[in-house]
Amino acid sequence: MAEARPGPAGLQLSALPDHSPLLQPSLAELRRRTGAAGAPLAGRLLSDAFLLRFLRARDFDLDLAWRLLKNYFKWRAECPEISADLHPRSILGLLKAGYVGVLRARDPTGSKVLIYRIAHWDPKVFTAYDAFRVSLITSELIVQEVETQRNGIKAVFDLEGWQFAHAFQITPSVAKKIAAVLTDSFPLKVRGIHLINEPIIFHAVFSMIKPFLTEKIKERIHMHGDNYKQSLLQYFPDILPLEYGGEEYSMEDICQEWTNFIIKSENYLSSISQTVIGEEVI
């Protein structure tokens, strides 16, 4: 999900609506490369809307967008334990526990903002793959939004409640898969990662993930500690839930809203489970 530094032309193209004829040359070339590679993809997976995710994620640099597209299918094919079943039932327990919420408003830069609460992930019940699947499902849904394609996401991880039982599940293999998605295997720009309430025992896990991250992603990771409210509000003024210094709604509200949205998206999520897994890697 990391992106290259955009040029003026790329930014201008990214700002255009999906139906603009000025986007067609880039779409045609990306579709041509896919066909030339002999990839058995058709229909929705070669639609303009689908391909535009990869072009916007790389600000219309065709070589980078093509690499990202290949990496996306490669990662999903190599990680069936995470991506083979994106049906809501596979992560319903974590959703109902209030593990993830999506803020109602975007931040000042237009990024979508997600909050994950580790204390609501019971490692005795749910694996790291389950938690990762929640993130993948959330990403597959919000990447449909053109504004999110343009302005990316920022994620807040509340690490209060992090236990050794969580840490034991983050093996080097899992760490590498997490890093792959953060860097160049999913068509979303990661604009910021904010860690709050991070305990000392978390740093061992972070040190395992860090070598796999790009320098740009490393620069976008912010550790706020347990005295975080003032610094977090500087990044996300007026949009945070009550629990994190906001004034309008609670985490329970937005967790329930996002759970409802995921459940309503059942058919779409089932369709992308079926159409991606089992495809030959480009």
Side-chain angles (χ1 to χ4, degrees):
M1 283 191 269
E3 77 279 5
R5 186 179 298 277
L11 289 175
Q12 291 169 5
L13 288 170
S14 188
L16 295 173
D18 285 10
H19 56 77
S20 171
L22 296 177
L23 303 180
Q24 288 305 313
S26 297
L27 284 166
E29 174 59 17
L30 192 55
R31 190 175 284 113
R32 185 197 67 77
R33 293 189 189 192
T34 306
L41 305 175
R44 187 192 62 79
L45 295 183
L46 288 180
S47 69
D48 286 359
F50 182 76
L51 295 178
L52 279 169
R53 301 174 186 180
F54 297 87
L55 288 164
R56 287 196 175 107
R58 294 297 176 264
D59 294 296
F60 282 80
D61 183 311
L62 273 164
D63 289 337
L64 294 180
W66 171 232
R67 185 177 71 184
L68 178 62
L69 180 64
K70 290 188 290 183
N71 286 347
Y72 169 80
F73 284 106
K74 182 175 184 289
W75 183 88
R76 288 202 58 181
E78 291 179 351
C79 303
E81 65 275 26
I82 299 168
S83 62
D85 182 9
L86 299 184
H87 193 283
R89 67 171 176 264
S90 69
I91 45 97
L92 195 57
L94 266 172
L95 293 175
K96 289 184 175 180
Y99 174 61
V100 62
V102 178
L103 299 197
R104 292 173 178 175
R106 297 177 182 274
D107 80 345
T109 69
S111 295
K112 198 84 167 179
V113 183
L114 322 174
I115 298 181
Y116 294 91
R117 299 187 293 176
I118 296 300
H120 295 253
W121 163 21
D122 183 348
K124 296 177 182 177
V125 179
F126 303 105
T127 68
Y129 291 134
D130 294 326
F132 204 161
R133 194 178 304 113
V134 171
S135 180
L136 179 59
I137 286 172
T138 295
S139 297
E140 288 285 7
L141 292 176
I142 63 176
V143 76
Q144 297 178 94
E145 304 164 352
V146 172
E147 201 64 21
T148 302
Q149 294 171 19
R150 291 174 178 144
N151 298 315
I153 65 162
K154 294 187 176 79
V156 178
F157 290 89
D158 184 347
L159 295 166
E160 183 177 10
W162 181 269
Q163 308 168 18
F164 283 111
H166 292 108
F168 290 149
Q169 293 203 32
I170 310 299
T171 63
S173 174
V174 171
K176 190 172 182 179
K177 290 171 182 176
I178 293 171
V181 171
L182 289 174
T183 52
D184 201 27
S185 294
F186 197 89
L188 275 177
K189 301 174 181 179
V190 178
R191 298 297 200 190
I193 298 172
H194 297 261
L195 308 177
I196 63 175
N197 292 319
E198 61 274 22
I200 293 175
I201 60 171
F202 172 75
H203 292 278
V205 170
F206 182 65
S207 66
M208 193 188 313
I209 299 172
K210 195 173 180 180
F212 300 113
L213 301 176
T214 64
E215 289 304 314
K216 181 170 287 188
I217 290 294
K218 291 176 187 176
E219 292 170 2
R220 293 178 178 179
I221 296 175
H222 308 274
M223 294 192 177
H224 297 264
D226 56 8
N227 188 19
Y228 60 83
K229 286 194 175 179
Q230 186 173 353
S231 60
L232 202 62
L233 281 169
Q234 291 176 357
Y235 288 95
F236 307 111
D238 305 320
I239 65 171
L240 290 169
L242 294 168
E243 293 86 344
Y244 299 102
E247 299 179 354
E248 294 188 9
Y249 54 85
S250 69
M251 275 298 297
E252 183 179 351
D253 293 334
I254 60 170
C255 288
Q256 186 59 58
E257 290 167 6
W258 191 244
T259 296
N260 293 343
F261 183 73
I262 288 179
I263 292 171
K264 289 178 182 177
S265 305
E266 176 181 353
N267 290 340
Y268 173 73
L269 291 167
S270 295
S271 74
I272 62 174
S273 296
Q274 297 163 1
T275 54
V276 174
I277 300 305
E279 296 285 5
E280 189 73 23
V281 178
I282 299 174

